[in-house]
Amino acid sequence: MKLSSLDVFIIGAVAKAIATTLTYPMQTVQSILRFGRHRLNPENRTLGSLRNILYLLHQRVRRFGILGLYKGLEAKLLQTVLTAALMFLVYEKLTAATFTVMGLKRAHTH
């Protein structure tokens, strides 16, 4: 089965949207830790420790509710999904062109 350019673009966009949505709460905590915009957990002052990560996630939920874990997700999706989809499409096109120029058949067709 051969995939069209639109198919490849959509697959790349959906894959990145899912990955970004699943990892967004941890990216938020990473950003907070990186820029020091928090009060350290008094019980454990080591940055990046699992206890502090869980503490920051808990604080975010307490402050903004469960949806607070995804505060700002829309902007992140706009930033990353289009870029990833375009990169996926360009990669597939360049790979196909390379195989064509080299006179090789792909091991599997999409």
Side-chain angles (χ1 to χ4, degrees):
M1 177 175 135
K2 184 150 176 75
L3 296 176
S4 70
S5 295
L6 181 60
D7 293 335
V8 171
F9 183 86
I10 290 172
I11 290 168
V14 169
K16 185 60 176 180
I18 291 169
T20 300
T21 302
L22 292 175
T23 61
Y24 189 73
M26 293 306 293
Q27 290 176 8
T28 302
V29 168
Q30 180 186 33
S31 176
I32 291 169
L33 287 171
R34 184 178 298 134
F35 297 107
R37 297 185 317 227
H38 71 289
R39 293 185 197 100
L40 288 174
N41 182 351
E43 298 170 10
N44 186 356
R45 300 192 63 82
T46 305
L47 280 175
S49 72
L50 180 59
R51 188 171 293 202
N52 266 333
I53 291 169
L54 294 175
Y55 175 79
L56 289 171
L57 287 170
H58 182 259
Q59 289 299 102
R60 192 147 181 98
V61 170
R62 279 186 47 201
R63 185 170 180 195
F64 300 110
I66 195 73
L67 293 179
L69 293 175
Y70 294 95
K71 186 177 179 185
L73 178 63
E74 303 87 0
K76 186 69 171 177
L77 286 172
L78 284 173
Q79 173 192 13
T80 60
V81 170
L82 182 59
T83 302
L86 287 171
M87 284 179 20
F88 199 82
L89 177 62
V90 168
Y91 171 81
E92 287 297 315
K93 292 296 181 183
L94 284 174
T95 302
T98 301
F99 278 99
T100 301
V101 167
M102 293 176 67
L104 300 173
K105 286 191 173 191
R106 294 189 79 157
H108 62 283
T109 56
H110 289 86

